[in-house]
Amino acid sequence: MAQDTAQQATAAAPARALLPLILPALVVGVGASLLLLGVSAAAEALQHVLWRNLPDALGIGRYSVLWTIVMLTATGVMVGLVIWKVPGHAGPDPATTGLDAPVLPPAVLPGLLLATALMLAGGPSLGPENPIIAVNVGFAFWLGRRLLPRLPGGLWAVLAEAATIGALFGTPVAAALLISEALAGRRLKGALWDNVFAPLVAAAAGAVTTTLVAHPTFDLHLPPVGHPGWGDLLAVLVVASAAALLGMCAVRAFPYVHAGFARLRHPMLMLPVGGLVLGLLGALGGHLTLFKGLDEVGEIAADPDGWSAGEFATMTVVKLAALLVAASCGFRGGRIFPAVFVGTAFGLCAHALVPGVHPALGVAAGVLGMLLAITRQGWVSLFTAAVLVASPAIIALLCIASLPAWLLVSGRPQMQLRADGTPVR
């Protein structure tokens, strides 16, 4: 009897129950990708004006110390004005949000989009993922409930999250891994693939749209890894664990830094002060430690031996500190992409210190450990580390390296806070 009940609980849904979900999932996937691409394009155009045209017209160095401090502080002022004045104040405190975005009212979404675009253009060390997911979830829920009210309301949020993740990474694999990890602790009704079918359609549509329009790639084109040996195994174990420990230092400091900025109380104090601190950090670390970090990762990875260990260490610490400040003072953005830069710089620092550490191994292990500490998403951390180096030979090494790194971060706070300021575990 128990066996029959279990078989009924895991029985596959009939195709006629899944087919009606395909068209809504495709529409959400394409729409989520186009919104991401539109915001990214607008931010890049504004970044070009702010960091090239304007300083050139004024006769100031594009990334000079003065211009870096002025621009980051001005970005804080502009984003602070948006958060202060627009309806809904550009959404909740970003320190309290993750990839699983709440459904925000439609009136909040334009302000959140504006704050995100200004942040991306101005140089703070945050990525677009969290706010873009929130905006896509809000639009999908609002439109879906009106156009197809018979479908469950929660479905639209899941479709939008999966579609945005697929669009961000240019592949539905990341969304599949994230969804399966989220479902791991839940009691499922039906088979796993029935539950992920529609989100995977949305993720695939988002990924294909991004690929056709923007042709993204995460491969850093590092030197290929040959047949791995015992020394390579030791290297990834040490680098991944050390990166996880470094990331946990920032995670531990997060609630205290956030509380410090919260004492300023007003966004027109919190954001400009945060922008000033970020400007000083950018002046210390150089222009490569600005912005979300994805383009800058490609620049440092293009010449693994072009910087000294000290320079890589400086970029690692400055970028991590900038991520900590930007996520604490109220800038709307996500933490994955800057964490990738931190892990990459850390891995290249390990290569510079110990030339026997292959640069691809150092980068992959550094990103793996850092993302595990910052995001606590095991599958996404493994996936991101693997696609950066595009070397099947090291996937097994990364899986092994994730085990001690996970022991270091499991059960400890993550870089996300509850509404009362206490860390999420």
Side-chain angles (χ1 to χ4, degrees):
M1 181 67 178
Q3 184 177 1
D4 294 339
T5 303
Q7 290 175 347
Q8 292 173 2
T10 58
R16 64 177 178 273
L18 299 177
L19 286 174
L21 303 178
I22 294 178
L23 182 58
L26 289 174
V27 172
V28 170
V30 173
S33 175
L34 292 178
L35 187 141
L36 169 65
L37 293 172
V39 172
S40 299
E44 288 177 8
L46 181 58
Q47 177 184 330
H48 188 89
V49 172
L50 295 178
W51 290 92
R52 294 187 180 184
N53 296 350
L54 192 55
D56 289 350
L58 296 174
I60 302 174
R62 292 180 176 178
Y63 294 104
S64 64
V65 170
L66 174 61
W67 191 251
T68 298
I69 295 174
V70 168
M71 276 309 309
L72 268 299
T73 306
T75 300
V77 172
M78 295 303 296
V79 175
L81 279 171
V82 171
I83 294 173
W84 180 26
K85 292 296 186 180
V86 301
H89 307 291
D93 182 353
T96 64
T97 62
L99 296 179
D100 51 340
V103 178
L104 300 176
V108 178
L109 306 182
L112 180 55
L113 276 178
L114 180 58
T116 303
L118 290 172
M119 181 279 299
L120 291 172
S125 294
L126 291 173
E129 60 274 17
N130 289 13
I132 295 299
I133 288 175
V135 171
N136 279 330
V137 166
F139 279 135
F141 183 85
W142 181 67
L143 290 172
R145 294 293 288 170
R146 280 155 180 77
L147 299 178
L148 293 172
R150 294 184 178 181
L151 292 180
L155 174 67
W156 298 107
V158 175
L159 292 180
E161 288 181 9
T164 310
I165 293 168
L168 281 163
F169 287 93
T171 171
V173 176
L177 295 174
L178 191 65
I179 294 167
S180 63
E181 192 166 8
L183 292 176
R186 302 180 187 177
R187 185 181 180 87
L188 299 180
K189 182 180 179 180
L192 173 63
W193 280 96
D194 289 339
N195 286 271
V196 302
F197 178 82
L200 275 182
V201 173
V208 170
T209 303
T210 299
T211 300
L212 292 176
V213 175
H215 310 289
T217 178
F218 283 85
D219 185 4
L220 297 179
H221 304 291
L222 289 162
V225 179
H227 185 72
W230 291 108
D232 296 325
L233 175 59
L234 177 62
V236 295
L237 287 170
V238 172
V239 173
S241 298
L245 288 173
L246 179 62
M248 286 304 301
C249 291
V251 171
R252 288 287 186 180
F254 187 48
Y256 301 102
V257 178
H258 180 268
F261 280 105
R263 290 191 183 97
L264 299 176
R265 296 184 179 275
H266 200 283
M268 286 305 294
L269 291 175
M270 296 167 60
L271 274 299
V273 170
L276 175 60
V277 175
L278 291 173
L280 294 171
L281 287 170
L284 175 63
H287 74 278
L288 290 175
T289 59
L290 301 175
F291 307 105
K292 65 179 179 287
L294 194 57
D295 294 334
E296 291 73 20
V297 161
E299 189 169 342
I300 63 173
D303 187 9
D305 299 311
W307 290 268
S308 67
E311 289 171 322
F312 279 127
T314 299
M315 285 190 279
T316 300
V317 174
V318 168
K319 187 68 171 182
L320 186 59
L323 167 60
L324 178 61
V325 171
S328 300
C329 70
F331 283 109
R332 272 43 179 173
R335 300 175 277 275
I336 291 179
F337 290 123
V340 168
F341 180 95
V342 177
T344 300
F346 185 85
L348 293 175
C349 178
H351 166 68
L353 285 171
V354 183
V357 175
H358 194 283
L361 290 174
V363 166
V367 169
L368 172 65
M370 188 59 59
L371 284 179
L372 284 174
I374 298 297
T375 70
R376 210 58 49 81
Q377 300 283 348
W379 284 122
V380 171
S381 301
L382 270 170
F383 169 80
T384 305
V387 298
L388 287 174
V389 298
S391 176
I394 68 171
I395 293 179
L397 295 180
L398 291 177
C399 289
I400 297 171
S402 70
L403 302 178
W406 182 256
L407 290 177
L408 292 171
V409 304
S410 181
R412 292 174 172 81
Q414 56 182 288
M415 192 174 268
Q416 185 177 339
L417 303 177
R418 298 185 179 89
D420 61 1
T422 58
V424 175
R425 293 180 178 269

